[in-house]
Amino acid sequence: MAEYSAWQVLRHALTGNTGWKPAWRKPEPKPRYDVIVIGGGGHGLSTAYYLAKNHGITNVAVCEKGWLGSGNIGRNTTIVRSNYLLEGNTPFYEHSMKLWESLSHELNYNVMFSQRGIINLCHSPAQMDDAARRGNAMRLFGVDARMVMPDELARRVPGLDLSRTARFPILGGLEQPRAGTARHDAVAWGYARGADRRGVDILENCEVTGFLRDGDTVTGVQTTRGEILADKVAVCVAGSTGRVMKLAGIDRLPIESHVLQAFVSESLKPLIDTVVTFGGGHLYISQSDKGGLVFGGDIDGYNTYAQRGNLPIVEDVMAETVALFPALARVRLLRSWGGIMDMSMDGSPIITTGPLPGMYLNCGWCYGGFKATPASGWCFAHTIAKDEPHPLNAAYSLDRFHRGYVIDEKGQGATPWKH
Amino acid sequence: MTSHRLTSGGRIDRTKTVRFTFDGVRYSGFAGDTLASALLANGIRLLGRSFKYHRPRGLLAAGYEEPNALVTVIEQGVREPNIRATELEVFDGLVAQSQNRFPSLGHDLMAVNGLAGKTFSAGFYYKTFMGPAIGPLKGTRFWRFCEHFIRRAAGLGSAGTVPDPARYERMNAFCDVLVVGSGPSGLEAARKAVAEGKSVILCETEAALGGTANWSGPDAASFAETLISGLRDNQDVRLLNRTTVWGRYDGNTFAALERIADHKAKPATGEARHRHWVIRAGHVVLATGALERAMVFPGNDRPGVMLASAALRFARSYGVLIGRRIVVFANNDSAYETAAILHRLGAEIPAIIDPRPVVGDWAQSLADEAGAKTLPAHAIVGSGGDPELDSVLMQPFNLETGKLSGPKRGFACDTLLVSGGWSPVLHLASQAGTKPVWSDKLQAFLPPEGDDHWHAVGSCAGEGIEPPAPVFEIKAKGDKAFVDFQHDVTADDVRLAHREGFQSVEHLKRYTTLGMATDQGKTANVPGMAIMADALGKPIPDVGTTRFRPPFTGASLGALAAERFADLRPERLTPMHHWHEEHGAGMMSAGLWMRPESYNQPGETVEDAYLREARIVRRGVGIVDVSTLGKIDIKGPDAAEFLNRVYTNNFAKLAVGKARYGLMLREDGFAFDDGTTWRLANSHYLMTTTTANAGPVMQHLEYFLDCIWPDLSVNLTSVTDQWAGAAVAGPKSREVLAACVTGTAVDNEVLPLMGIVHGKINGIPVMICRLSFSGERAYEIYCGAHHGQAVWNALIEAGQPHGIQPYGLEALGALRIEKGHVTGAEIDGRTTAHDLHLDWMLSKKTPFIGSVMLTREGLTDPDRWSLVGVISSSGEKLRGGSHIVEGTKDAPGRSLGHITATCLSPLYGKHIGLALVENGNTRIGTRAFATDPVRSETHVPVEFVSHHFYDPKGVKMNG
Amino acid sequence: MIITCPHCGPRDLAEFSYKGDATRTRPGTASGDLAHWNAYVYERENPAGQHREFWQHTGGCRKHLIVTRDTLTHAISHVEFPPTKAPRRSGA
């Protein structure tokens, strides 16, 4: 398949754009694959891509129950960052950041990764110290971080309420300049095209309805498009992990499914040129290239598989937005949607072999999965190919909960809806 | 420029002239006009520029579905962008501007985008701008560079940065039946519900109630009028006009936006601009009507091409005749009647073009009435005029094959009315998760059968919709053929998406941005799906169905935020708050509470002040407001057993009249909260918690009593706000108490450390516990909150001879650091009792919450971080959040932990701190560095010491 | 979402705090069975369908409720107070 480039776009435009080929094939399932990845979302597709690219495993199928990218890869607020506090997290997310930085080029697909920075605002001296603690942790791991002061904020974030009379006056913030946003759908499509070009079969409308087993060992999957055998079956279905794992007889996991709502305003001329988060509540806001403000807050906070939230969170997120940017009271909310999050017991993900022989599990991303897409696939592919975790994901084991090696960025313990 | 206003008719008030400006030019209209109708009456048809190609655009519709005519309203410097001209009611002094054009609407330089032909097709951005592999623009830099210009070209109107001075309100309402839409079927549904004795709320998005009755002729109008006046007189009915129900949530909870003052030059004093309604309805009737769809053909976006229903509305509601010479292009009969009416009003209708092979008798008679020639089996294949329409091109069309053949023929006209069939407005049904059903007959998605909670009526349910021919697009060569007008998505874009494999409705939407503009594709979604279905060779419903999500139309953030932020985050003030402010305290937020940081005297910095305050506590006596501590009253025969289970240490054996320091763990074995709990009677305790955890601890206790141990007879009451508290600390604290407390002695015999006494101060009952956070002899004095100030004053007065001074949070922090007491900075949800050297508090005999889980290997790993003291060896300042490393500044090595709290020790004059450090226990006496690269860039040599800097044996506080 | 509190009547979601899965069984207070404790603290069935869960009416009577709710539709089929037990004889 031809490389995408400005030249190709021009050439095709002259012939009425009739020459473009599908971004990925729509093959029939083969009877057997080396690896089946369940879940055609960002993480599943990147896993397939890196299996092929890094490990030479190309006899791979990705089974997606609906349309490709229909899960959380297309339902997030597109923020990419590696500003983590804990040793178990920072190097992993920084690895992801490095993959992001060359992703468009590598995939020959513009995922519009825009390194416009993220600023976490602080509203008390204690929050400033906490931010410094995190920033220092990042710096010691070689991650970029800097503190920003109100005068710089006034310059860079017009409309931000910097008055001392604000309910939570802004004292400063922590910035990760290399953080930013990316076009979420493009990430799914770019990985899909990249995997497809390396021989991976992407099977859309292919819902897994059961697992084929030989004793304990998983030997393949039953799907709505027939039985498919595989040496290894990798589950990568954030939001549906509970449901899919039940098909394999795994009834209980350290995960609850919760809905996170996201919001977009109508399109505006450039206003917010970075990503801003609020420390007086929970709000993150940026502006897409099309001009819509993209923002979100807390999860609704009750178990659900319905991609639909409720009004209290809507009101609270809007209230926080207007508290931070009083001029935005005049802007209108245009769209909202909900995504189902695998909320884990410590707020950190799971990338592991098992829990059954022949099975591999990637889940528990809470609402941080988008930024992790490249590293998650990269590490999961390694874990599948080598049958052991890469050092970057060694801490993301399933047994860490029982053993007490939790990675709890928020310090909330086993209350998933508070992470 | 000629007036298009008819001499009579319309629901406007011709006695009230309204003056307004659009793009700096002054116009006049009548009260009751929208900006769209007023500009049309003035002959202005060019109202906007499109998103991508910046094509000149006029009005397509007359209501909320309008995709093209978006304007910005500027009012006293406050900008509100993206308002549909069709919804903006004009008022005297209105200032509106067109958007997305430079320098002007007539001459937009960005229209050059249109010349790039098919380059800017769907997927354009994904295939380009990847940037070079090497050089200064490698990686993401090239995209960042290009993005800057792309973002400026994109976007619609500009939002302001001036705070919005408007007021917004929130209203909760309840009703048996909510009716959405006040057209004839909505009014009828409301009438029926009222007759059944039900309470009703009826919402209408337009200014005038009546919906289609307002433009369907006199019979419909009088029918509606009768129903409306019947409802208006009924106490059980609330009629809300200018109110859009935009969201449907669980439990039949609806969100609606009422525009109270947008149509006024100036809101009344105190009047809100918008009101956010939250309506809980037993049942909802969706009488939301149906929207006409446009047809897709080359040049279908030229100003002058309009929906037939819109022309009817402009004529009947606003007395504006949209054109003099009007061609109609319709695939159904509904537009024929419009043609006849417009003809009666004075328009010439040269032709009605219909893709269907045969025109029915009824339609033909209407065409005859309109004096129009009917051209069945024909289609429009192009339009002309710059920028406004002056001609259309048509060609014979075969409905079976969709093919065009034969000679093209032009018609001169100033207006082309189109009707591509009707789509019921089923959004609110879909938002609740129901799946729309495709009707082949109506070529539209219909809401499914309703249930106990909702049903649809009227054209929303498909009633009375004229069945159209199944034709959505005329595939002709020529200009771009638009599906989504606002986002400039063309039929070719849809086909390109198909070609590249983006074939499901969601892929189509995401790849082409179809339906993602501010009109949310209300007129575009079904045609877009139809073109995809055609490309796939499948029926339309096989492409999928879009699930609609809130909001139905945009809702202002201000309204949604109304009365929410501050209500949910109240500023909590202690009873002594104003005294603190009057005495120079800088107040800072601690959670929701406001607490004094320090009481700065003239010329003092915060550091000067806290050093002075803390030294006074160490040498004399100080007083601090501790009212914010969480306080929980615990009563019942099982109170002692309950506390034994909740705390890691024993509270059952605590003597009455004594207090004990307690530690709570979470179920997972990690530390949760600490505080003192006082045994006031055998079955009565008063628990104190940290300020931050007052709420969570209360919920934690309630959970265990309700859900885990319902057999325990214990009652909990949060009394945080009922008690005011002051801590008097320092060697001379006893003298202060002795001088003002009556009814009890306060000497060491009667009131030793952890002792409790009851007495009075100035006649006010107080409860005194001898506790020490600072390490000095100290007492906490509690009284009823409303007496807090009086008791505080009495303590200050009694302390005057001893030089008592108030101290704030900074001094409190410095004192506790010296003493090595932990707070939330150390009990951060990740630390264990062992980490904090509180393992001595873990009962070995009785089980408690977390007692088993804390034995796990991860919680007892010797490499865990544990609490140590640090002293700056160089005399440089230490800062909280610094990390502990062993390497040099340039090569610091890995982090061994971090500093949780620091101060300049008032006692030792050194910079000290507490830190959580890997293998902390083994490091006492060794050295390392505190590094702070993100902030001060200091790299301070530190020595590890015990976290008990001051009086480790507790001689001072016991004495 | 509207939850009908048996004590206060139908009230909006905003008045309630979620407290999670109500089907877990907590080991007895004196139990030293670490595996059971781990399962109780960390493992969830997380069903797609009927879910019994604790909610606390924090903005009302502050009682905990057991709500049976469908996690696919949010429809609530049952609300009750947690089971009571005979009062323990106070002796400790």
Side-chain angles (χ1 to χ4, degrees):
Chain A
M1 196 188 302
E3 291 285 310
Y4 288 156
S5 65
W7 159 245
Q8 285 286 342
V9 169
L10 277 175
R11 191 176 72 81
H12 282 290
L14 294 174
T15 57
N17 282 323
T18 52
W20 291 107
K21 294 281 179 292
W24 58 88
R25 296 168 294 127
K26 299 197 182 291
E28 285 304 311
K30 291 192 252 175
R32 197 201 143 272
Y33 290 93
D34 293 345
V35 178
I36 288 175
V37 178
I38 306 174
H43 291 219
L45 292 165
S46 73
T47 300
Y49 173 80
Y50 290 112
L51 276 170
K53 179 180 176 250
N54 292 357
H55 305 282
I57 302 172
T58 57
N59 185 25
V60 174
V62 177
C63 295
E64 166 54 47
K65 75 172 170 188
W67 43 279
L68 185 144
S70 54
N72 294 330
I73 187 73
R75 297 174 187 278
N76 56 73
T77 48
T78 80
I79 298 168
V80 174
R81 58 184 176 86
S82 59
N83 56 355
Y84 280 75
L85 172 69
L86 301 178
E87 194 172 358
N89 281 328
T90 321
F92 172 84
Y93 286 101
E94 178 57 14
H95 182 66
S96 209
M97 179 65 78
K98 293 204 171 101
L99 293 170
W100 276 110
E101 285 175 326
S102 57
L103 197 59
S104 291
H105 215 272
E106 172 169 349
L107 295 178
N108 178 234
Y109 206 88
N110 185 6
V111 300
M112 304 187 197
F113 179 39
S114 168
Q115 292 185 288
R116 53 181 74 175
I118 186 168
I119 299 172
N120 308 123
L121 298 174
C122 302
H123 310 269
S124 70
Q127 281 191 345
M128 289 293 278
D129 278 358
D130 278 349
R133 175 186 172 192
R134 183 142 62 106
N136 284 328
M138 291 161 64
R139 291 281 284 263
L140 290 171
F141 277 113
V143 182
D144 60 320
R146 58 188 290 272
M147 300 300 284
V148 287
M149 290 298 131
D151 51 338
E152 183 182 339
L153 289 169
R155 229 171 31 246
R156 288 180 53 192
V157 193
L160 192 62
D161 182 2
L162 287 159
S163 65
R164 295 293 301 173
T165 51
R167 173 67 187 86
F168 298 102
I170 294 165
L171 301 189
L174 175 69
E175 182 186 17
Q176 183 183 21
R178 283 160 65 239
T181 59
R183 170 84 180 103
H184 54 6
D185 290 325
V187 178
W189 303 336
Y191 271 120
R193 179 167 166 269
D196 177 86
R197 296 209 298 179
R198 285 180 155 81
V200 171
D201 280 359
I202 294 167
L203 309 174
E204 286 180 270
N205 301 308
C206 181
E207 181 173 0
V208 170
T209 54
F211 287 82
L212 303 175
R213 303 274 287 269
D214 178 6
D216 264 356
T217 306
V218 173
T219 57
V221 291
Q222 289 160 342
T223 76
T224 49
R225 295 175 71 175
E227 289 189 355
I228 312 174
L229 295 170
D231 294 346
K232 300 180 177 189
V233 176
V235 180
C236 205
V237 293
S240 300
T241 305
R243 282 201 269 196
V244 172
M245 292 301 282
K246 264 195 187 61
L247 299 174
I250 309 291
D251 283 335
R252 299 177 88 83
L253 284 167
I255 283 177
E256 287 183 2
S257 301
H258 286 259
V259 64
L260 174 66
Q261 299 188 66
F263 308 95
V264 175
S265 79
E266 340 167 289
S267 188
L268 302 166
K269 289 289 176 196
L271 179 71
I272 300 177
D273 199 30
T274 179
V275 185
V276 180
T277 76
F278 182 35
H282 193 187
L283 173 79
Y284 31 94
I285 184 165
S286 65
Q287 189 173 15
S288 77
D289 287 338
K290 267 194 320 212
L293 301 172
V294 183
F295 52 117
D298 275 323
I299 55 175
D300 268 41
Y302 43 81
N303 283 53
T304 175
Y305 285 88
Q307 289 172 327
R308 192 156 52 83
N310 271 296
L311 204 46
I313 285 287
V314 181
E315 293 165 340
D316 202 44
V317 170
M318 301 310 134
E320 291 183 74
T321 307
V322 173
L324 211 51
F325 295 95
L328 295 186
R330 292 250 165 187
V331 167
R332 276 171 294 267
L333 174 67
L334 179 64
R335 289 188 286 127
S336 72
W337 64 89
I340 302 305
M341 311 289 128
D342 279 358
M343 299 304 295
S344 72
M345 294 294 146
D346 61 357
S348 295
I350 295 158
I351 306 178
T352 184
T353 55
L356 298 174
M359 181 186 249
Y360 304 80
L361 179 61
N362 177 322
C363 64
W365 290 97
C366 299
Y367 42 94
F370 178 67
K371 68 179 100 64
T373 305
S376 169
W378 197 94
C379 289
F380 198 31
H382 179 101
T383 306
I384 296 163
K386 310 281 184 199
D387 273 307
E388 62 176 19
H390 188 273
L392 285 169
N393 66 304
Y396 295 152
S397 66
L398 193 52
D399 68 359
R400 73 173 185 270
F401 299 99
H402 285 200
R403 293 174 61 220
Y405 287 100
V406 288
I407 308 166
D408 191 347
E409 287 269 336
K410 279 203 180 167
Q412 288 292 351
T415 45
W417 59 93
K418 289 186 182 164
H419 284 291
Chain B
M1 204 177 292
T2 53
S3 172
H4 288 242
R5 186 79 72 181
L6 295 162
T7 50
S8 66
R11 302 174 71 88
I12 45 172
D13 183 351
R14 290 171 193 258
T15 64
K16 286 186 192 146
T17 300
V18 171
R19 289 180 176 78
F20 63 93
T21 68
F22 176 64
D23 278 348
V25 181
R26 292 173 61 87
Y27 299 96
S28 67
F30 294 122
D33 261 326
T34 61
L35 180 66
S37 67
L39 287 173
L40 280 179
N42 282 286
I44 305 299
R45 294 178 127 193
L46 175 59
L47 292 184
R49 288 273 171 177
S50 69
F51 188 79
K52 192 155 67 173
Y53 301 119
H54 291 253
R55 287 174 63 114
R57 291 282 168 80
L59 291 158
L60 180 71
Y64 58 76
E65 74 272 34
E66 168 60 27
N68 293 326
L70 301 182
V71 299
T72 298
V73 170
I74 298 162
E75 199 183 307
Q76 293 165 356
V78 178
R79 300 177 66 90
E80 180 168 358
N82 304 340
I83 302 174
R84 283 179 278 271
T86 50
E87 289 188 293
L88 177 58
E89 296 173 59
V90 292
F91 52 82
D92 246 339
L94 168 71
V95 178
Q97 276 182 358
S98 60
Q99 302 182 159
N100 200 33
R101 79 290 187 267
F102 179 81
S104 73
L105 201 50
H107 303 279
D108 182 357
L109 293 177
M110 293 304 288
V112 70
N113 283 357
L115 300 178
K118 303 207 168 183
T119 314
F120 285 156
S121 54
F124 164 69
Y125 291 110
Y126 305 127
K127 296 169 185 163
T128 51
F129 301 111
M130 272 80 84
I134 49 165
L137 288 176
K138 77 179 163 76
T140 64
R141 287 206 195 117
F142 181 66
W143 171 244
R144 271 292 272 163
F145 174 77
C146 302
E147 187 188 36
H148 175 73
F149 300 98
I150 291 165
R151 286 186 65 190
R152 285 169 54 126
L156 296 164
S158 302
T161 53
V162 179
D164 180 6
R167 212 173 70 71
Y168 296 88
E169 276 181 5
R170 172 198 170 84
M171 179 81 113
N172 286 293
F174 303 83
C175 60
D176 295 326
V177 178
L178 169 67
V179 181
V180 187
S182 72
S185 25
L187 292 170
E188 177 58 25
R191 187 200 59 77
K192 214 171 128 210
V194 169
E196 288 166 10
K198 291 176 172 149
S199 63
V200 172
I201 296 177
L202 176 71
C203 295
E204 167 57 53
T205 191
E206 301 265 341
L209 296 175
T212 55
N214 289 330
W215 55 87
S216 304
D219 292 351
S222 74
F223 171 75
E225 207 43 62
T226 311
L227 285 174
I228 292 166
S229 58
L231 294 168
R232 221 184 269 289
D233 296 338
N234 195 306
Q235 287 191 338
D236 290 332
V237 180
R238 180 134 53 181
L239 298 176
L240 298 171
N241 63 333
R242 296 192 181 92
T243 303
T244 309
V245 180
W246 57 262
R248 181 172 176 197
Y249 293 91
D250 289 323
N252 250 13
T253 303
F254 292 84
L257 182 80
E258 181 182 5
R259 293 170 300 277
I260 303 169
D262 278 353
H263 63 292
K264 299 181 182 175
K266 215 176 157 206
T269 307
E271 187 175 48
R273 186 170 92 94
H274 290 171
R275 186 176 289 133
H276 169 46
W277 285 84
V278 180
I279 302 169
R280 281 103 183 168
H283 188 93
V284 64
V285 180
L286 302 182
T288 42
L291 294 175
E292 197 166 21
R293 301 188 294 245
M295 294 288 278
V296 182
F297 57 85
N300 62 341
D301 66 328
R302 193 162 261 115
V305 180
M306 184 185 271
L307 293 171
S309 57
L312 183 64
R313 283 195 63 182
F314 283 118
R316 281 256 172 90
S317 287
Y318 305 105
V320 174
L321 189 58
I322 177 69
R324 302 285 177 219
R325 194 176 149 82
I326 302 172
V327 172
V328 177
F329 179 33
N331 68 358
N332 67 87
D333 287 354
S334 64
Y336 283 74
E337 193 173 7
T338 301
I341 293 165
L342 296 179
H343 178 68
R344 265 203 306 279
L345 293 173
E348 183 193 349
I349 316 284
I352 300 177
I353 291 147
D354 196 323
R356 294 175 295 181
V358 181
V359 174
D361 292 346
W362 183 65
Q364 187 58 53
S365 68
L366 289 165
D368 294 345
E369 217 179 293
K373 181 180 165 74
T374 52
L375 288 163
H378 276 72
I380 299 282
V381 295
S383 71
D386 181 21
E388 292 173 31
L389 185 78
D390 61 15
S391 62
V392 293
L393 206 58
M394 53 147 225
Q395 198 178 2
F397 175 78
N398 183 323
L399 183 61
E400 288 293 310
T401 61
K403 295 259 182 331
L404 295 154
S405 60
K408 290 180 190 169
R409 200 169 134 198
F411 267 108
C413 60
D414 57 17
T415 302
L416 173 69
L417 298 186
V418 293
S419 180
W422 296 78
S423 294
V425 180
L426 47 76
H427 299 62
L428 291 175
S430 169
Q431 282 183 20
T434 60
K435 212 175 159 188
V437 184
W438 177 256
S439 161
D440 262 335
K441 181 177 168 221
L442 300 181
Q443 291 290 300
F445 286 102
L446 297 179
E449 190 97 357
D451 59 26
D452 285 353
H453 301 296
W454 74 280
H455 75 285
V457 296
S459 46
C460 175
E463 294 161 16
I465 291 182
E466 292 294 337
V471 52
F472 295 85
E473 184 202 1
I474 307 303
K475 288 187 220 166
K477 287 209 161 50
D479 200 356
K480 292 186 175 73
F482 289 91
V483 183
D484 183 320
F485 287 73
Q486 195 181 121
H487 262 175
D488 280 343
V489 179
T490 65
D492 280 344
D493 286 327
V494 177
R495 275 185 282 276
L496 177 58
H498 166 259
R499 204 168 293 132
E500 296 192 87
F502 298 93
Q503 295 166 353
S504 82
V505 64
E506 285 291 335
H507 277 161
L508 169 63
K509 205 171 91 177
R510 288 154 189 265
Y511 196 63
T512 65
T513 76
L514 173 77
M516 292 173 102
T518 63
D519 63 325
Q520 298 167 319
K522 289 195 172 63
T523 56
N525 284 335
V526 173
M529 287 170 70
I531 294 166
M532 178 59 81
D534 177 59
L536 286 166
K538 286 182 180 173
I540 291 174
D542 283 14
V543 179
T545 46
T546 297
R547 175 148 142 201
F548 293 103
R549 297 172 183 281
F552 168 63
T553 54
S556 62
L557 266 53
L560 294 181
E563 299 167 37
R564 223 49 189 159
F565 188 76
D567 282 5
L568 296 178
R569 295 166 184 81
E571 227 171 32
R572 300 182 73 181
L573 309 179
T574 75
M576 291 81 95
H577 179 82
H578 299 293
W579 189 95
H580 303 317
E581 285 189 329
E582 282 159 19
H583 289 77
M587 304 303 289
M588 61 187 281
S589 48
L592 296 178
W593 288 98
M594 298 305 291
R595 300 189 71 180
E597 184 178 24
S598 59
Y599 300 81
N600 296 12
Q601 292 179 357
E604 274 187 338
T605 63
V606 170
E607 188 173 274
D608 296 337
Y610 88 70
L611 286 172
R612 170 181 51 75
E613 291 168 10
R615 282 175 186 142
I616 284 165
V617 173
R618 291 267 181 258
R619 289 167 195 164
V621 61
I623 182 168
V624 62
D625 185 349
V626 294
S627 305
T628 61
L629 288 179
K631 296 174 277 290
I632 301 168
D633 193 86
I634 301 171
K635 271 185 185 155
D638 293 319
E641 170 66 18
F642 178 58
L643 290 174
N644 254 12
R645 296 182 190 181
V646 164
Y647 278 124
T648 64
N649 45 342
N650 189 296
F651 277 76
K653 289 183 186 151
L654 179 65
V656 172
K658 290 282 184 184
R660 181 166 286 170
Y661 175 62
L663 175 71
M664 277 180 215
L665 309 185
R666 294 190 309 232
E667 286 270 43
D668 62 3
F670 288 90
F672 177 32
D673 198 54
D674 66 342
T676 59
T677 286
W678 316 2
R679 193 165 201 175
L680 302 178
N682 199 37
S683 304
H684 185 193
Y685 291 80
L686 179 69
M687 173 185 283
T688 65
T689 75
T690 57
T691 298
N693 272 335
V697 168
M698 182 71 187
Q699 283 195 280
H700 176 75
L701 301 183
E702 285 171 324
Y703 172 77
F704 275 92
L705 280 181
D706 265 2
C707 307
I708 309 292
W709 302 318
D711 54 329
L712 293 187
S713 300
V714 179
N715 211 323
L716 304 171
T717 312
S718 168
V719 292
T720 302
D721 291 320
Q722 277 65 33
W723 292 97
V728 177
K732 293 181 184 160
S733 54
R734 188 183 289 145
E735 283 84 337
V736 176
L737 261 61
C740 63
V741 176
T742 58
T744 177
V746 294
D747 59 56
N748 208 23
E749 295 292 305
V750 176
L751 192 52
L753 189 68
M754 295 296 175
I756 301 165
V757 295
H758 296 265
K760 288 188 172 176
I761 292 179
N762 263 5
I764 298 161
V766 295
M767 190 160 58
I768 302 169
C769 184
R770 184 166 164 198
L771 298 167
S772 180
F773 194 54
S774 57
E776 298 301 331
R777 178 187 299 153
Y779 305 85
E780 285 183 11
I781 299 107
Y782 286 100
C783 64
H786 53 299
H787 292 305
Q789 188 62 62
V791 169
W792 178 272
N793 290 345
L795 288 165
I796 297 268
E797 199 184 317
Q800 287 304 336
H802 308 286
I804 196 167
Q805 288 195 17
Y807 61 102
L809 276 187
E810 287 293 327
L812 193 71
L815 293 164
R816 76 99 184 174
I817 292 168
E818 286 183 336
K819 183 62 188 166
H821 273 311
V822 294
T823 66
E826 293 82 27
I827 304 182
D828 64 358
R830 287 179 289 264
T831 48
T832 66
H834 287 87
D835 299 342
L836 305 172
H837 309 301
L838 298 175
D839 42 319
W840 59 273
M841 297 178 70
L842 303 175
S843 169
K844 294 193 175 54
K845 291 180 203 146
T846 43
F848 49 86
I849 293 171
S851 58
V852 178
M853 293 295 272
L854 68 79
T855 62
R856 294 178 295 157
E857 57 174 309
L859 281 75
T860 51
D861 192 324
D863 285 343
R864 287 185 62 85
W865 293 3
S866 59
L867 184 67
V868 293
V870 288
I871 298 177
S872 165
S873 313
S874 64
E876 289 166 276
K877 188 175 173 175
L878 295 174
R879 296 186 74 174
S882 300
H883 280 243
I884 302 295
V885 293
E886 283 176 333
T888 62
K889 188 172 176 181
D890 295 332
R894 55 186 281 271
S895 168
L896 300 172
H898 74 284
I899 295 183
T900 58
T902 63
C903 67
L904 174 56
S905 168
L907 200 61
Y908 305 108
K910 291 182 180 171
H911 289 282
I912 64 169
L914 296 175
L916 287 164
V917 181
E918 190 178 292
N919 299 311
N921 297 342
T922 65
R923 292 182 191 269
I924 305 294
T926 68
R927 287 166 186 275
F929 296 93
T931 194
D932 189 21
V934 79
R935 187 170 45 184
S936 61
E937 297 194 6
T938 53
H939 197 73
V940 183
V942 292
E943 184 187 346
F944 295 110
V945 295
S946 159
H947 61 291
H948 295 297
F949 292 92
Y950 177 68
D951 188 22
K953 298 216 167 93
V955 178
K956 297 273 184 186
M957 60 185 190
N958 275 297
Chain C
M1 199 186 293
I2 290 172
I3 298 174
T4 303
C5 171
H7 186 267
C8 307
R11 297 300 183 92
D12 192 82
L13 168 69
E15 294 186 12
F16 296 86
S17 304
Y18 190 62
K19 293 295 190 75
D21 187 351
T23 64
R24 298 178 294 147
T25 52
R26 190 175 189 270
T29 300
S31 166
D33 182 347
L34 186 58
H36 190 177
W37 277 108
N38 263 320
Y40 166 68
V41 171
Y42 289 115
E43 292 171 14
R44 303 287 189 276
E45 199 188 336
N46 192 27
Q50 295 296 316
H51 190 232
R52 274 167 63 80
E53 57 202 22
F54 288 119
W55 289 80
Q56 187 185 7
H57 195 187
T58 32
C61 62
R62 290 197 75 88
K63 290 297 289 179
H64 283 78
L65 318 173
I66 295 179
V67 174
T68 307
R69 191 179 53 92
D70 190 324
T71 58
L72 293 165
T73 64
H74 299 170
I76 292 170
S77 52
H78 192 67
V79 185
E80 62 191 336
F81 287 129
T84 53
K85 267 202 231 170
R88 169 185 174 277
R89 284 177 74 120
S90 177

